[in-house]
């Protein structure tokens, strides 16, 4: 295993409930109603997708740029109070670092939101960080994971992606990486090259290595 790439929202940290809180507040400003069912349409998606969907649901004429700023301001303000790590996430992260495995954070969230999370988690835990601001296409496109692998100068096939959403799993798989899925709001079925678990407390670095194909050739 040449590297491990952690998703952020819902996988590394418990921010899906924060997103839901801010989405409800912003939708109220738009004059609409937001439910957890609406949130499932956006898991693992980009801010642009969130803004477009919320405007469609609300029927509001608010400018997309304004709604985007409301979302960013709300999330950054809420995250300033700290964020809770998902069970087993930091322990696995530290185990990988102790064994010398490069670790990346790869998220569809904007840089401002990722930076707010990293104040609590610790930016120095990661060898590379890729946010929505660093790519032209976000998950489920493979570009975020291909970018992380390129920055670390490693082959995607030698890397493992850890994700909680179908979009993220699709991105990791399309990039050629093995995947560990910890489903949050949406189900994720098992598949070749994919380990599905209920929590990262069940995962060790050896479990990740077992997903990577053996090196062949001379």
């Amino acid at each position: 295993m040449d590297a491990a790439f952690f998703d952020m929202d819902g996988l590394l940290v418990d921010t899906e409930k924060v997103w839901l809180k801010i989405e409800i507040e912003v939708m109220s400003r738009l004059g609409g109603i937001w439910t957890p069912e609406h949130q499932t349409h956006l898991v693992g998606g980009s801010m642009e997708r969130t803004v477009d969907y919320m405007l469609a649901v609300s029927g509001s004429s608010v400018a997309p740029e304004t709604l985007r700023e409301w979302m960013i301001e709300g999330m950054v303000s809420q995250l300033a109070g700290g964020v809770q790590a998902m069970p087993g996430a930091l322990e696995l992260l530290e185990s990988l670092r102790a064994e010398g495995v490069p670790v990346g954070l790869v998220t569809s969230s904007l840089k401002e939101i990722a930076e707010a999370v990293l104040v609590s988690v610790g930016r120095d835990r990661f060898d590379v960080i890729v946010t929505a601001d660093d790519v032209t296409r976000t998950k489920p496109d493979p570009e975020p994971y291909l970018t992380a692998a390129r920055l670390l100068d490693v082959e995607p096939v030698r890397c493992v992606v850890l994700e909680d959403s179908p979009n993220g799993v699709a991105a990791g798989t399309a990039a050629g990486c093995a995947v560990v899925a910890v489903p949050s709001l949406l189900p994720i079925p098992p598949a070749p090259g994919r380990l599905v678990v209920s929590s990262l407390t069940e995962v060790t670095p050896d479990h990740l290595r077992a997903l990577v194909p053996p090196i062949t050739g001379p």
Side-chain angles (χ1 to χ4, degrees):
M1 177 173 51
D2 288 349
F5 298 133
F6 285 68
D7 174 52
M8 187 177 77
D9 296 295
L11 186 283
L12 178 68
V13 288
D14 188 12
T15 48
E16 294 298 352
K17 61 187 180 185
V18 182
W19 279 104
L20 178 60
K21 179 179 184 295
I22 299 304
E23 287 161 359
I24 290 173
E25 292 176 358
V26 170
M27 183 58 76
S28 178
R29 294 179 71 174
L30 294 174
I33 297 175
W34 191 259
T35 68
E37 287 70 31
H38 286 121
Q39 188 187 27
T40 62
H41 292 282
L42 304 174
V43 177
S46 66
M47 179 63 75
E48 287 68 26
R49 181 181 172 196
T50 298
V51 167
D52 289 345
Y53 184 79
M54 294 182 79
L55 288 175
V57 169
S58 67
S60 172
S61 60
V62 167
E65 296 78 9
T66 300
L67 178 52
R68 184 177 186 272
E69 287 305 313
W70 289 353
M71 290 294 298
I72 294 171
E73 290 170 2
M75 286 297 296
V76 170
S77 174
Q78 190 71 30
L79 293 170
V83 63
Q84 182 178 0
M86 295 297 288
L90 297 185
E91 291 82 358
L92 177 58
L93 181 56
E94 287 307 306
S95 293
L96 290 163
R97 289 181 57 81
E99 296 183 18
V101 178
V103 179
L105 180 69
V106 182
T107 176
S108 290
S109 284
L110 298 169
K111 183 177 181 179
E112 290 175 77
I113 295 172
E115 292 290 352
V117 168
L118 289 169
V119 170
S120 296
V121 175
R123 186 183 182 90
D124 58 353
R125 292 180 187 267
F126 298 96
D127 299 286
V128 64
I129 296 169
V130 177
T131 72
D133 293 294
D134 301 310
V135 296
T136 57
R137 297 176 300 278
T138 56
K139 306 170 189 177
D141 193 276
E143 183 183 352
Y145 286 114
L146 293 175
T147 299
R150 176 177 52 79
L151 290 171
L152 288 177
D153 194 25
V154 295
E155 292 296 326
V157 72
R158 308 292 310 160
C159 301
V160 181
V161 161
L162 298 105
E163 276 282 356
D164 72 303
S165 71
N167 272 349
V169 168
T173 301
C177 304
V179 176
V180 172
V182 189
S184 56
L185 300 179
L186 294 171
I188 300 171
R194 180 190 307 167
L195 172 66
V196 181
V197 296
S198 60
S199 166
L200 287 180
T201 58
E202 304 171 29
V203 181
T204 67
D206 284 341
H207 288 122
L208 304 188
R209 289 191 183 91
L211 293 170
V212 177
I215 297 174
T216 58

